[in-house]
Amino acid sequence: MTTRDVPRHVACVMDGNGRWAARRSLPRTSGHRAAETTVIEVIEAARSAGVEWLSLYAFSTENWRRPDTEVDFLMHLVRHVVRKHAPLLLARGIRCRFLGVTDSRIPPFLVRDFGDLTTLTGANRGMTLTVAFDHGGRGDIVEAARSLIRSGVAPEAVDEREFAAHLPFPDTPDVDLVIRTSGEQRISNFMLWQVAYAEWIFPQVLWPDFRATHFLECLRSYRGRDRRFGGITPNANGEPRP
Ligand code: IPE
Ligand code: IPE
Ligand code: MG
């Protein structure tokens, strides 16, 4: 197995908005607002670099534990971002879709906006942008199990490929690179099935300060990784090829 120069699928855990604001003695919501610029820069940088799949973790199923005011702010902010940047996403040939979005607490206007952007960009083939919103990796796996059971498939017929076909957006390839900003080193229930063999990078920089240059630096670092997938890599010491 060889490593492609550019990761095919990059997934970002956009973390550190609250701390960005706290360092400036601002309310947490200012950090979320400042994240918009980063989101657009990263999308543009990924598209230009030739990344085929970009997934952004915007709101987890656990984020419902936050105060109502913050949750409400995030709902309106995401609406603003989705509507404002729809023409840009269309122009860049980016296909957009939303992973999760099952909780009835999500305002109907937002569900509509998500549907509108999905439809608007549905024929694009440049890059697939998956926004994980009200997403939880375990929840997706449980849903896949339910779907399998409903399908009546025989237990012996279930293998990894068959199981994965029941996950939401089953065309999604495995994640090659996960970037989690803010120095936190955990997965927080993000695309658990798809990150099984991902490479990980944990930049210290907080998401609102993360720029295209940081993203490109992550891609450079990825190029230096030796992905073995459990096998061995032939090396200069004359060890046998796998
Ligand atoms: C990430 O930033 C944004 C969301 C989870 C919606 P945080 O809000 O988690 O920022 P910190 O971790 O508190 O700094
Ligand atoms: C993960 O960040 C979720 C998103 C980035 C949307 P959190 O800040 O919510 O994760 P924890 O609480 O630090 O694990
Ligand atoms: Mg956080």
Side-chain angles (χ1 to χ4, degrees):
M1 202 83 69
T2 54
T3 302
R4 297 155 53 104
D5 268 0
V6 178
R8 186 172 179 221
H9 186 177
V10 179
C12 298
V13 182
M14 311 189 286
D15 201 12
N17 298 354
R19 277 161 285 168
W20 185 94
R23 282 179 197 175
R24 288 162 179 75
S25 306
L26 295 168
R28 292 178 53 80
T29 47
S30 317
H32 297 315
R33 198 179 282 120
E36 177 182 351
T37 305
T38 308
V39 168
I40 299 306
E41 272 205 31
V42 166
I43 292 171
E44 295 252 47
R47 174 79 180 97
S48 303
V51 171
E52 293 172 39
W53 300 76
L54 177 68
S55 299
L56 300 178
Y57 202 5
F59 192 88
S60 73
T61 45
E62 290 69 34
N63 287 146
W64 291 110
R65 295 177 187 147
R66 296 190 179 199
D68 288 351
T69 47
E70 181 170 343
V71 169
D72 192 51
F73 182 89
L74 284 167
M75 299 292 154
H76 284 87
L77 178 69
V78 170
R79 158 166 245 212
H80 156 81
V81 172
V82 162
R83 292 167 73 109
K84 177 173 163 193
H85 299 287
L88 173 83
L89 295 163
L90 184 63
R92 294 284 187 272
I94 297 168
R95 174 171 71 137
C96 303
R97 58 194 193 177
F98 296 85
L99 174 65
V101 200
T102 55
D103 198 292
S104 60
R105 286 171 287 183
I106 301 172
F109 66 74
L110 193 53
V111 176
R112 250 190 331 268
D113 291 340
F114 288 168
D116 288 348
L117 186 61
T118 303
T119 306
L120 178 74
T121 62
N124 283 346
R125 291 292 173 264
M127 177 175 85
T128 299
L129 171 66
T130 303
V131 178
F133 193 91
D134 181 35
H135 160 77
R138 281 187 172 177
D140 281 358
I141 291 169
V142 169
E143 268 312 313
R146 285 188 180 147
S147 164
L148 261 175
I149 293 165
R150 276 195 299 267
S151 77
V153 65
E156 315 74 55
V158 179
D159 56 14
E160 290 181 15
R161 179 191 289 263
E162 174 69 18
F163 190 91
H166 288 263
L167 289 165
F169 300 138
D171 58 338
T172 309
D174 280 356
V175 174
D176 297 301
L177 173 63
V178 178
I179 301 168
R180 181 169 187 151
T181 55
S182 85
E184 303 291 354
Q185 302 187 1
R186 58 178 166 272
I187 191 164
S188 300
N189 203 15
F190 186 35
M191 295 182 104
L192 294 183
W193 180 276
Q194 296 88 346
V195 300
Y197 244 110
E199 298 294 321
W200 293 78
I201 298 181
F202 301 105
Q204 287 297 323
V205 57
L206 305 174
W207 181 257
D209 290 329
F210 193 74
R211 286 289 159 267
T213 48
H214 297 110
F215 184 79
L216 295 177
E217 181 50 44
C218 292
L219 296 192
R220 254 194 303 282
S221 163
Y222 172 85
R223 270 202 295 281
R225 300 284 177 97
D226 184 13
R227 301 187 75 192
R228 293 188 287 274
F229 297 98
I232 57 171
T233 310
N235 63 24
N237 303 328
E239 285 184 10
R241 284 192 145 283

